[in-house]
Amino acid sequence: FSLKRWWAVAEERFRAEPPLMGTACSSCSELGKAAPVQRNISKTPPLAEQTKKRLEHIFKRMDKDGDNAITREEALSFWSGNFAKVNAQAMFQEVDSDVSGIVTKEEFMAFWQQVKDSGYTDHDIMEETVELLNGGSWVDWQDGRSTGSI
């Protein structure tokens, strides 16, 4: 990948969605006085309250020591039956976004929001969480992330 090609790709992306700069409203004329502009990355509504509660319940069941972080050992314990290693690996591959070896509550909830942002509904997520609570396997959602090995 040459520097010239990298620059061309960067310019294309900038034209497609330039960074938010300048004023947040027409009455602010100086950049220094402009209010910060928040970009709403999610194009879908947030997870429904009932869905959030179910996901928090699952997170607490996995987080055996209650430190708001799921370790691989805790994930293995959650799936304790057949294919525990496969399920734990698949979950970490998709959810541990900073590849720290733990899944924080923030990473867990952000993962499920991006599943919804990928076209799934709260109903789809709720159905799958029933399976998870019953010891079902981790699902590879069609969400742009993969359960494949690192």
Side-chain angles (χ1 to χ4, degrees):
F1 208 64
S2 71
L3 182 58
K4 188 175 183 178
R5 176 70 184 130
W6 177 87
W7 188 254
V9 170
E11 284 181 322
E12 286 175 34
R13 288 183 181 159
F14 180 82
R15 278 193 287 280
E17 188 174 341
L20 294 175
M21 292 187 262
T23 61
C25 65
S26 59
S27 64
C28 297
S29 59
E30 296 178 37
L31 182 60
K33 294 182 181 177
V37 177
Q38 295 292 325
R39 181 178 293 183
N40 183 8
I41 296 176
S42 173
K43 295 182 182 358
T44 57
L47 293 164
E49 206 53 44
Q50 182 181 12
T51 306
K52 284 182 189 176
K53 286 180 182 178
R54 172 78 59 81
L55 293 168
E56 288 170 352
H57 175 73
I58 292 171
F59 185 88
K60 286 179 184 176
R61 284 212 24 213
M62 287 186 178
D63 180 20
K64 301 279 188 200
D65 63 8
D67 66 351
N68 279 328
I70 300 169
T71 63
R72 288 185 187 272
E73 292 76 23
E74 288 172 320
L76 287 168
S77 174
F78 176 79
W79 274 292
S80 67
N82 291 333
F83 303 108
K85 285 184 181 179
V86 172
N87 286 313
Q89 174 64 25
M91 182 188 82
F92 270 79
Q93 186 67 28
E94 287 197 296
V95 182
D96 184 16
S97 58
D98 65 0
V99 195
S100 64
I102 61 166
V103 172
T104 64
K105 186 175 180 182
E106 291 77 20
E107 285 176 313
F108 191 76
M109 298 305 286
F111 167 77
W112 290 103
Q113 179 64 54
Q114 71 84 31
V115 166
K116 185 173 181 180
D117 294 346
S118 297
Y120 292 96
T121 65
D122 281 278
H123 179 76
D124 297 331
I125 295 168
M126 289 293 279
E127 280 186 342
E128 191 54 40
T129 59
V130 169
E131 295 300 318
L132 276 175
L133 287 169
N134 290 324
S137 297
W138 184 262
V139 170
D140 187 4
W141 299 86
Q142 301 302 308
D143 61 349
R145 294 188 186 188
S146 172
T147 59
S149 61
I150 300 173

